[in-house]
Amino acid sequence: MLVPKEKFLFWLTVAFFATLFLPPEMPVINNILIGAIFTVCLVFNPPAEKWLFLRNRRAVLFMLLFFILQLISAATSADHARAWSILAMRSPLLIFPLALGGIYVNSRIKSRMLFAYAVIVLVVSVCCGADAVRRSWVHHDMQWLYDDSLTKAIGRSSVYMAQIVVIAIFCFVWLLHKGIIKGRTRLLAGFGTIFLVLFHFLLASRTSLFVLYIAAIGYVFHLMTRGFRSAMWLIGSGLLVSITLFFTFPKTMNRMRQLEYLHFDYQSRGLESHYNMAVDSSQWNGANFRLAAWSCGWRVARQHLLAGVPLGDKQTILRQEYKARDFMFAYVRNRNLHNTWLDVLVNTGIAGSAIFLLAYLVLPVWITIRQGDWLGLAIVGAFAAALSTENWIDSSFGSVLLGFWLSLVSAWQTLPAARKATLPREEPAVHCP
């Protein structure tokens, strides 16, 4: 059983998960819960224990160091208003590492949190799916079943929702694999996972689909090495389901066809490709636009490799580069770089980029591999891929997801035996009903 402080943290986290799906124009409730989680974590354990965790979690220390660099970058910006506005959006990158980085999320809380998260995501996905089917029926148009149209009910971009769903799939699979989910709930979780895989396919996020299928292949190979006979059944059923999805929902494949047209011309005034229209070489699509934008970003980065471009002036400098290349498609639409790693390099230079890589990729991967935490590794890998095609930290919602999950993965890692001798003894993981 959870002790009172653990129950309080758990229920606050459940409420936080639920508020992720409130309309974007209602951020106050979510912000209040983030503040409440921070406050509870602040008094969750003694200062000495908190300091023990913080100083031994190097990834968290580098997260905090990166935010200090952001403060310096904002202070040195010419456009102070924009700089502090961006910094406010990125504040979860400070709040969650400070809050979760100083506590230990034991197996009792972890299993409950992951189960609650997966169930909430499943319920929201079912509601979004039902709403999309209704719209498709009323308008006699199947396009309502795809991409951003699928999440219109909650007003969230399919890119973010795909990341949310893929983590929920990881959670369900981990809980099932560990035998934490028991009884009838196990069967329901299995069917829920299948539904989430279908829902994720319809969201048509190429990067997230790639991550999910790579993770699935890795999981099957893991089962095969352990001698599980079910591995072959999973391979066969997975192939059958994949083929069925590709033929039943061809508009997702339309997103994949954009990868056939990678050539770009900065001066092109072509239309922006959409999954509900025929794809051709005259259009700007998600793939060739990113290649063009990354080329511009890399040129700006090379000109400011040491110190980077101050936070408030970054978009202005980037737009100047767009204009210099007559890249009006990006200039008029005020597009960002659609790559968080590159954006950080432009903003903070080589040193800041190295700190960000250590905080959000290298050190989390190292600790999860060392502790055999394949769930944590899968979550870190999913974010690493997502950060490669979108600028997550230029939106408050992206910063919330990134800050929370990377901090939580650090929070459930155990310390070496010599360093955790003074910590309370952990009880076995709880089984969900």
Side-chain angles (χ1 to χ4, degrees):
M1 294 294 293
L2 298 181
V3 299
K5 65 179 181 180
E6 293 173 341
K7 288 182 180 179
F8 198 30
L9 177 61
F10 167 70
W11 285 112
L12 278 177
T13 307
V14 171
F16 163 73
F17 290 150
T19 61
L20 292 175
F21 305 103
L22 292 176
E25 59 271 13
M26 295 174 56
V28 176
I29 300 177
N30 183 258
N31 291 339
I32 290 173
L33 284 165
I34 291 174
I37 290 173
F38 177 82
T39 304
V40 169
C41 289
L42 204 63
V43 298
F44 192 83
N45 52 352
E49 184 179 305
K50 194 177 298 295
W51 174 239
L52 176 67
F53 284 122
L54 282 173
R55 75 171 185 262
N56 285 286
R57 288 172 174 161
R58 295 179 182 176
V60 173
L61 292 177
F62 276 100
M63 290 177 192
L64 298 177
L65 179 57
F66 174 74
F67 197 84
I68 292 172
L69 286 182
Q70 294 290 276
L71 283 169
I72 297 170
S73 183
T76 57
S77 299
D79 189 343
H80 281 97
R82 181 174 179 81
W84 296 114
S85 174
I86 296 173
L87 199 64
M89 288 193 297
R90 297 183 180 184
S91 59
L93 303 182
L94 171 68
I95 294 172
F96 284 120
L98 275 178
L100 296 172
I103 69 170
Y104 176 53
V105 175
N106 59 46
S107 58
R108 300 189 304 273
I109 314 175
K110 175 186 174 182
S111 57
R112 284 179 167 90
M113 280 184 177
L114 297 181
F115 182 72
Y117 172 80
V119 169
I120 290 171
V121 173
L122 176 59
V123 170
V124 171
S125 299
V126 169
C127 292
C128 286
D131 178 71
V133 170
R134 181 190 65 81
R135 292 175 188 273
S136 181
W137 179 267
V138 169
H139 296 284
H140 304 287
D141 192 343
M142 291 286 286
Q143 71 166 308
W144 291 101
L145 296 176
Y146 295 88
D147 202 50
D148 290 343
S149 299
L150 190 59
T151 55
K152 190 175 180 64
I154 57 174
R156 293 296 181 187
S157 167
S158 62
V159 171
Y160 292 128
M161 191 62 185
Q163 184 74 351
I164 288 171
V165 170
V166 83
I167 293 175
I169 294 172
F170 291 161
C171 292
F172 267 142
V173 172
W174 183 83
L175 291 165
L176 289 167
H177 181 83
K178 293 290 186 180
I180 295 174
I181 300 178
K182 297 291 186 179
R184 294 179 181 177
T185 309
R186 187 175 181 85
L187 182 62
L188 293 175
F191 282 115
T193 304
I194 294 171
F195 175 83
L196 287 177
V197 169
L198 171 61
F199 188 80
H200 182 263
F201 182 83
L202 294 178
L203 288 169
S205 173
R206 289 184 296 257
T207 303
S208 193
L209 283 168
F210 173 79
V211 167
L212 179 60
Y213 294 150
I214 290 295
I217 292 170
Y219 181 60
V220 169
F221 274 107
H222 169 74
L223 293 180
M224 291 175 66
T225 59
R226 295 298 181 91
F228 284 88
R229 294 181 180 179
S230 58
M232 296 308 296
W233 180 86
L234 285 172
I235 293 173
S237 59
L239 286 173
L240 180 62
V241 169
S242 298
I243 293 171
T244 303
L245 289 175
F246 280 119
F247 280 100
T248 307
F249 303 103
K251 292 186 187 295
T252 294
M253 281 303 297
N254 216 26
R255 291 292 301 273
M256 302 301 175
R257 291 190 185 99
Q258 293 179 358
L259 298 176
E260 299 175 13
Y261 304 99
L262 300 179
H263 174 76
F264 62 86
D265 175 12
Y266 287 117
Q267 287 76 40
S268 173
R269 301 299 190 265
L271 297 174
E272 184 170 10
S273 178
H274 189 264
Y275 68 89
N276 202 39
M277 62 190 291
V279 181
D280 60 56
S281 59
S282 68
Q283 300 166 346
W284 284 105
N285 60 59
N288 64 10
F289 159 71
R290 282 172 172 78
L291 291 175
W294 295 346
S295 177
C296 294
W298 175 238
R299 182 171 178 177
V300 173
R302 283 184 300 172
Q303 295 168 354
H304 303 84
L305 275 179
L306 291 180
V309 178
L311 189 61
D313 312 324
K314 173 172 58 72
Q315 191 63 20
T316 301
I317 299 296
L318 182 59
R319 293 191 74 211
Q320 290 174 0
E321 181 64 23
Y322 289 158
K323 191 172 184 179
R325 296 196 182 195
D326 198 23
F327 189 13
M328 289 296 109
F329 177 83
Y331 178 81
V332 172
R333 293 167 176 78
N334 196 30
R335 292 293 183 88
N336 62 40
L337 287 174
H338 281 68
N339 186 311
T340 309
W341 309 109
L342 181 56
D343 182 86
V344 169
L345 177 62
V346 170
N347 172 215
T348 60
I350 293 177
S353 182
I355 290 171
F356 188 78
L357 277 167
L358 286 168
Y360 291 95
L361 180 60
V362 177
L363 291 174
V365 166
W366 168 253
I367 190 65
T368 52
I369 291 176
R370 192 176 68 178
Q371 299 206 8
D373 177 18
W374 66 263
L375 173 61
L377 181 62
I379 291 173
V380 173
F383 273 103
L387 295 179
S388 301
T389 54
E390 297 292 337
N391 194 352
W392 278 64
I393 60 176
D394 259 4
S395 79
S396 56
F397 191 66
S399 296
V400 166
L401 293 177
L402 178 64
F404 174 81
W405 280 108
L406 268 292
S407 300
L408 183 62
V409 168
S410 291
W412 72 49
Q413 305 301 326
T414 58
L415 296 182
R419 296 174 182 172
K420 65 178 181 180
T422 59
L423 300 181
R425 186 175 180 180
E426 182 182 350
E427 296 177 13
V430 69
H431 290 282
C432 298

